[in-house]
Amino acid sequence: MLTDSYRRYAALIVKRRRSVAAILALLTLLLSSRLMSLQVDMDQDTWIPQSHPYVQATKALEQVFGGRNFTLIGIVPKRGDVYQPSVLAKVQRIQEAIENLPEAVRHNVLSLSARKVKDIKANEAGLVVRRVMEHVPQTPEQIAALRQAINSNPFYINSLVSPDGGAVAIIADFKVDTSKPSYAALYADIKAILDKERDQTVDIYVGGLPVDFASFEAHMMQMPLFFGAALLIIMVIQYWSFKSFQGMLLPIFTAILSVLWALGFMGLIGVHMDGLNTTTPILIMSVAAGHAIQILKRYYEEYHRLRAATPNATEQEVNREAVVESIAKVGPVMTVAGAIAAISFATLSTSEVSVARHFGVFAASGVAAALVLEMTLIPAIRAMLRPPSKKEVAAEVEHKYLDGMLTYLARRLSGGKAPLVLGAGLAAIAAIAAGATRIQVDNSLKSYSRPESEVRVHDRALNRHFGGTNTIYFLIEGKESDRMKSPEVLTAIASLQDFLTAQPHVGKTQSIVDLIKRINQAMHADAPAQSVIPSDPKLIAQYLLLYSMSGDPQDFDSYVDNDYRNAAIWVFLKTDSTNYTEQLRQKAEALIRERFPSDITVRMGGSLPQTIAGNQALTSSKSKNIAQMVLVVFVLSALILRSFVGGLFVTTPLILVVLANFGVMGWLGIPLDMGTISTAAMAIGIGADYELYLLFRFREELQRTGDVAAATLSSLLTSGKAVLYVALSIGSGYAFLLSSGFAFYSRLGAMVVATMAVSAFAAIIFLRAMTMIFKPKFIFGPTKSFSGSQPLPKSSVLR
């Protein structure tokens, strides 16, 4: 009944082929008109769950203390130290230019020439606070005074000046417009400022989050080139598959339209393109081309059969009848497989992380678009094209090397070797999956770039000279005003700073405590032993009052709020590993619980903790997403196959593929991060297609021939071969990402290639061996025996 329904549907499409093509062309134009509304979105919030404690702490920090886009600019003289008028003049000009950028958080732009960078001294009249460098020093005496001011204020050593005086820094912070976030534009403005100061006397380096995101964005802009390369590769595979330009161009045309529809739909619903979604068009194109391979392979089969069965019919009559029959035969399984893949990807829309939701919606809409086009456009156009030539048909049915391999496999499976094949398959997957014990959850923006890239070269140089190019913040929150003036709280902050400074990869910490210690030391004739926190809260309040009389009340804005209720510790790191940062926080927890009063809350925030939040959300929700996808595949497969066991037959290989997916990552040393984690969803969404195509075709051939061996051979030479071509198309399309200089894409490419290989292996070998061993009722029937195999007793037939 289902086949007859699809046959009538296909006949209607063929009859109204021109109208169908016109309607699809109009719909394509309408969706394409929305492409201009798409934009690249580098907003950090799309990568992170908004309810995560680290994200909430970061938002509180940003509201009170400024932005979260720390940037470090380093100037390294090629001769001598930084205490030269020409070098210091560069610092002053860069400081002023950065402050004038609209995105700059002005009170967090710091350098030797910044207004809030002060030299703290004392005299008979009290505290004297002056700018470290109000004017560029010119005379040797002025240079010596500046050197003395820096050396007597260790607060600035390793942050604004390197310990050896060989490099000087400008620290900047920015707020990026979230309505149209572009780190590439911000970095271009920063670079334009720095380029004016570059000459033969200095090297200038720049690092930090905006630089890392700008590099990411630049690589995103190259994705159309990779898409074009993937398109060419898939075209070659299509031509190799069909030995026909028609067979090559029709799937590609459908695939390109699927991508346009999906992109248009994204523009229609107002979803922007992000770092994860830039590769999704390759996925959609590959999947659409793969489905087209299945339907066109069946078309050539039907055309060959009908040409021989109806010698008196015209070629065009045979052509159109073959179109109808191919849709009638492959349409049901294509609809089911496409729907399962689309729904499976759509389950990702429940993720708390925006990029995961967007990936799910994008992939689901693309697969759905491909399904619609393959069930309408392909039969309509195929019916309008000239029939294939005898040479094309002969090339399609001709047995080649791949056919020989599949024939060998079919004989082993139907000749009693299925248990051995299944055992070997299980052993292979188990060996691969064992690598999952070695997998690490980590995310590092800098590790995405090659070691020789400008990003990494600059980062290494800056980390050599200064405390670090990466920052985290500890937000210290009190419940009442002036709580941050308490010696008890300040001592706890100092203890936390001492602990952090002693940790590897931590180059510098800063807080209000450092300034209070410096004031106390200055008021005690600069005695080194007096660089401590006074025990008298009144004395601390008096010091801060004296400072405000000579200095500027806004000098402390980066470290404490106006009413001294909240404070922040800046921590400079020489690594952006989220794994390391999370371990650092865990180590600090015990000290925080021990040293801080019960009314004080300490939270960690900043760009690195936000990345941790994104990774944690993606990894913790991934098991949920995988379970959702497997459940969807199981339920829909069981319904369409009308068998509980049928659902198990489809989902069991997928679970093994997912385990192997994580195993490959462990063996190859690829971390589980925001890019690679999406491949597990792809393994389920695409792998289900493979299982269903093979199961449906084997059942069809078994019912037609009544011979297990013949059905095994025929299904592998048709749907099995098509599955290999699909896996090859998707894997090859992504394989071009391996040439990318950006590890985010090259890792993703490597994982997709491995996942497609394992998925095809599981479908063609593992699933087929399961079928031969267990002979499930949904394929073999309750009592019917077939030739070509030894039927099992009734009690052993799965129900």
Side-chain angles (χ1 to χ4, degrees), residues 303 306 310 312-323 387:
Y303 185 87
L306 289 168
T310 57
N312 296 326
T314 66
E315 289 188 348
Q316 195 58 258
E317 287 173 343
V318 175
N319 175 47
R320 290 168 187 170
E321 185 61 25
V323 170

Side-chain angles (χ1 to χ4, degrees), residues 648-758:
L648 291 178
F649 261 68
V650 175
T651 54
T652 300
L654 297 182
I655 294 172
L656 295 177
V657 170
V658 170
L659 292 176
N661 175 272
F662 291 125
V664 168
M665 293 175 63
W667 288 122
L668 295 180
I670 297 175
L672 189 63
D673 60 20
M674 294 178 180
T676 56
I677 205 166
S678 64
T679 56
M682 294 170 61
I684 296 173
I686 298 171
D689 282 9
Y690 300 165
E691 324 293 347
L692 288 166
Y693 276 117
L694 282 166
L695 286 173
F696 268 80
R697 189 58 187 262
F698 178 74
R699 185 169 68 174
E700 178 191 339
E701 294 299 324
L702 188 61
Q703 292 171 351
R704 182 177 65 84
T705 64
D707 186 284
V708 173
T712 302
L713 178 60
S714 181
S715 62
L716 286 179
L717 289 178
T718 53
S719 288
K721 189 194 293 187
V723 162
L724 290 177
Y725 283 135
V726 172
L728 186 60
S729 294
I730 298 175
S732 299
Y734 273 88
F736 205 82
L737 293 179
L738 295 173
S739 64
S740 169
F742 198 51
F744 183 88
Y745 292 140
S746 58
R747 290 174 186 171
L748 179 60
M751 286 309 305
V752 172
V753 170
T755 299
M756 290 302 102
V758 176

